[in-house]
């Protein structure tokens, strides 16, 4: 009888870590009766921002394990972050798990769909957290908050809205040591065209962390 090849120790440890974190996250979701998992096709999104809707993608939840991995990489920069902002937050899963696992002074979730924000607020009200805000806003027209911030995006829109969002808020990235944590980083080239640079990327998981290069060159 042939034996299966042995898996490297590092790979085994990573699998065990994923199992532990996912089990812990499921218990958290069950404890507070949180509702995150429903897929919403773009055609079913309800919003008054019709121009941005044409450039949006389907809503789907993001892996909490990958979120924590990505944010740990951001914190390795040594930047004292005040805020976490989830752009295209949907039902609020990344926002609430960022609040649960990391020391942000404030967490913001932004989405152009009022029904999704209403669902995020219902989830929030079931938890004990008091420094989380969910806002109905079109990213193409929304000015971001002050302070060193991690902006998280799980590919919520195409390159058109990405460019509008970044151009509107370039002054923030000049003034603060903020980073963009980008899950499924399909439009990272658009960011780089505007002066952002990749400081970390997982080729396997297709997520990255970017910073505004011009701001860091003067510090």
């Amino acid at each position: 009888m042939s034996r299966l090849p042995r898996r490297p120790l590092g790979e085994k440890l990573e699998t065990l870590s994923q199992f532990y974190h996912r089990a812990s996250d499921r218990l958290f979701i069950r404890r507070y009766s949180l509702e995150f998992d429903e897929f919403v096709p773009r055609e079913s999104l309800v919003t008054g921002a019709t121009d941005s809707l044409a450039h949006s993608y389907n809503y789907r939840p993001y892996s909490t394990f990958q979120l924590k991995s990505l944010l740990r990489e951001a914190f390795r920069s040594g930047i004292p972050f005040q805020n976490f902002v989830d752009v295209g937050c949907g039902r609020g899963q990344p926002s609430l798990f960022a609040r649960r696992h990391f020391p942000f002074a404030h967490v913001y979730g932004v989405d152009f769909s009022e029904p999704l924000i209403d669902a995020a607020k219902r989830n929030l009200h079931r938890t004990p957290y008091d420094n989380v805000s969910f806002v109905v806003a079109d990213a193409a027209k929304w000015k971001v908050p002050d302070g060193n911030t991690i902006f998280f995006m799980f590919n919520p829109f195409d390159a058109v809205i990405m460019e509008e969002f970044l151009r509107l808020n370039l002054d923030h990235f000049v003034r603060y040591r903020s980073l963009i944590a980008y899950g499924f980083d399909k439009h990272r080239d658009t960011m780089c065209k505007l002066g952002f640079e990749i400081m970390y990327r997982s080729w396997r998981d297709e997520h990255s962390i970017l910073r505004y290069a011009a701001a860091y060159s003067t510090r």
Side-chain angles (χ1 to χ4, degrees):
M1 181 177 177
S2 62
R3 293 184 178 181
L4 293 174
R6 292 184 177 181
R7 296 171 63 194
L9 178 59
E11 189 176 322
K12 290 180 181 179
L13 292 175
E14 182 179 11
T15 300
L16 288 172
S17 176
Q18 289 185 21
F19 177 82
Y20 168 78
H21 284 282
R22 286 171 178 163
S24 174
D25 292 344
R26 283 195 295 269
L27 287 173
F28 175 78
I29 291 171
R30 189 176 304 164
R31 176 183 179 185
Y32 292 108
S33 301
L34 305 178
E35 299 175 356
F36 295 130
D37 289 337
E38 185 180 349
F39 171 85
V40 182
R42 187 188 74 178
E43 296 77 15
S44 299
L45 293 172
V46 178
T47 178
T50 54
D51 290 342
S52 291
L53 177 62
H55 298 281
S56 68
Y57 293 129
N58 302 326
Y59 165 75
R60 61 193 189 279
Y62 187 64
S63 162
T64 57
F65 181 83
Q66 286 188 330
L67 176 71
K68 286 180 278 188
S69 174
L70 194 56
L71 294 188
R72 281 195 294 270
E73 288 293 338
F75 272 94
R76 288 194 178 102
S77 67
I79 298 171
F81 295 108
Q82 287 88 48
N83 306 316
F84 174 87
V85 175
D86 182 4
V87 182
C89 68
R91 293 183 172 87
Q93 180 173 343
S95 298
L96 294 178
F97 276 91
R99 170 61 183 81
R100 183 185 182 210
H101 292 289
F102 296 91
F104 295 106
H106 204 98
V107 170
Y108 300 88
V110 181
D111 203 289
F112 67 0
S113 173
E114 188 169 2
L116 287 179
I117 289 293
D118 288 343
K121 289 179 178 178
R122 287 195 297 273
N123 283 325
L124 172 61
H125 292 156
R126 294 169 183 165
T127 73
Y129 303 142
D130 59 2
N131 62 340
V132 180
S133 302
F134 289 111
V135 180
V136 179
D138 180 356
K141 300 177 177 63
W142 186 65
K143 291 290 288 183
V144 303
D146 293 338
N148 295 339
T149 301
I150 297 178
F151 293 93
F152 172 73
M153 304 180 192
F154 183 30
N155 193 35
F157 36 65
D158 66 13
V160 172
I161 302 301
M162 177 69 76
E163 184 165 350
E164 290 184 19
F165 169 73
L166 293 177
R167 287 191 183 280
L168 179 65
N169 291 291
L170 277 180
D171 61 323
H172 170 95
F173 290 96
V174 171
R175 289 184 291 130
Y176 297 104
R177 300 174 67 197
S178 293
L179 302 178
I180 297 176
Y182 192 8
F184 188 47
D185 52 359
K186 184 176 180 179
H187 302 294
R188 63 187 182 279
D189 289 347
T190 298
M191 295 181 173
C192 293
K193 181 182 72 173
L194 294 175
F196 289 80
E197 63 181 5
I198 296 171
M199 54 186 297
Y200 165 81
R201 185 162 198 266
S202 168
W203 293 95
R204 181 183 66 181
D205 299 319
E206 294 183 295
H207 58 213
S208 55
I209 297 172
L210 300 96
R211 66 183 185 180
Y212 190 51
Y216 282 82
S217 65
T218 60
R219 290 176 178 149

